[in-house]
Amino acid sequence: MIKIRGLQRLSLGPIDLEVGDGECVSIMGRSGSGKSILLRMIADLDPHAGDALLDDAPCSSMAASRWRSMVTYVAAESGWWAERVADHFAAASVARDILPAIGFPAGALDWPVARLSTGERQRFAILRALQPSTRVLLLDEPTSGLDTASIGMVEALLHDQLARGTSILLVTHDGEQALRMAKRRFLVDDGRLVEDRP
């Protein structure tokens, strides 16, 4: 379980939230309301007040690299630092087994990054985040540039991760996706996180 305690930055927060193992919660709100900032605070990428805890171990008590190996942020626009796709994966052999699940042929890891479309980069960024150490996925608009078929494949992959016990915080502007994916749905409104009850 990941617990968020008093996270605050600028006009956002303080935010408190608990997300269980194998649970997905969605976060919606207007553009600029602070949804991405919230994910970045949880990942300890931006300065903030408050803390996040994984199985009661606080983020503030461990090295940033260790925390981020367990609590992994996938940005809306992913970063790429090498020429070949495979060079971005710690265990390319493991990633090859999942390629068909997100619509890629077996040799796609050998493609140059420059060949990838925006949607392909999004799918590879999600795949890149699925490491054995990952316990929590922080997903910022992970399917915003994808066609319907690709969205279905990504959501199926995420449901599989949930079944394995991974927790997911999903920022999305797609209300239908929030209903399909999340057990609980929240809105960021005027700096507060408010549960969206039916």
Side-chain angles (χ1 to χ4, degrees):
M1 171 179 288
I2 187 164
K3 300 177 182 177
I4 296 157
R5 295 287 182 260
L7 283 188
Q8 187 168 9
R9 175 173 167 78
L10 305 173
S11 60
L12 179 65
I15 303 287
D16 294 296
L17 179 65
E18 294 186 2
V19 183
D21 294 342
E23 181 183 13
C24 177
V25 301
S26 66
I27 301 170
M28 300 183 72
R30 296 184 325 274
S31 295
S33 61
K35 303 179 300 295
S36 298
I37 291 173
L38 175 58
L39 293 189
R40 290 181 59 82
M41 286 193 295
I42 297 168
D44 200 31
L45 291 166
D46 289 343
H48 58 82
D51 211 346
L53 301 90
L54 187 60
D55 296 336
D56 294 321
C59 169
S60 57
S61 72
M62 62 182 79
S65 58
R66 180 166 175 244
W67 177 261
R68 292 176 196 146
S69 73
M70 297 184 292
V71 180
T72 305
Y73 173 64
V74 180
E77 295 183 15
S78 55
W80 300 86
W81 53 88
E83 288 186 19
R84 251 181 6 121
V85 172
D87 297 334
H88 297 86
F89 289 83
S93 60
V94 174
R96 282 185 205 282
D97 294 338
I98 310 175
L99 287 174
I102 55 170
F104 286 114
L109 286 180
D110 298 318
W111 292 353
V113 171
R115 161 187 176 155
L116 302 179
S117 69
T118 299
E120 288 172 332
R121 289 179 190 227
Q122 280 183 292
R123 284 184 284 157
F124 268 123
I126 293 166
L127 184 60
R128 191 170 68 190
L130 302 182
Q131 301 299 321
S133 60
T134 302
R135 298 274 313 281
V136 180
L137 285 170
L138 308 172
L139 304 177
D140 195 350
E141 294 287 351
T143 61
S144 60
L146 301 185
D147 59 81
T148 302
S150 295
I151 290 171
M153 287 187 283
V154 167
E155 289 182 0
L157 180 64
L158 296 178
H159 277 295
D160 182 60
Q161 294 302 307
L162 290 167
R164 294 168 187 257
T166 304
S167 304
I168 297 177
L169 284 83
L170 171 68
V171 164
T172 180
H173 284 289
D174 183 344
E176 293 299 316
Q177 181 174 66
L179 289 170
R180 289 191 302 268
M181 291 297 303
K183 290 182 180 176
R184 293 182 292 148
R185 292 167 290 281
F186 292 85
L187 298 171
V188 177
D189 183 36
D190 197 25
R192 297 175 302 120
L193 190 65
V194 182
E195 190 163 3
D196 183 21
R197 297 183 183 275

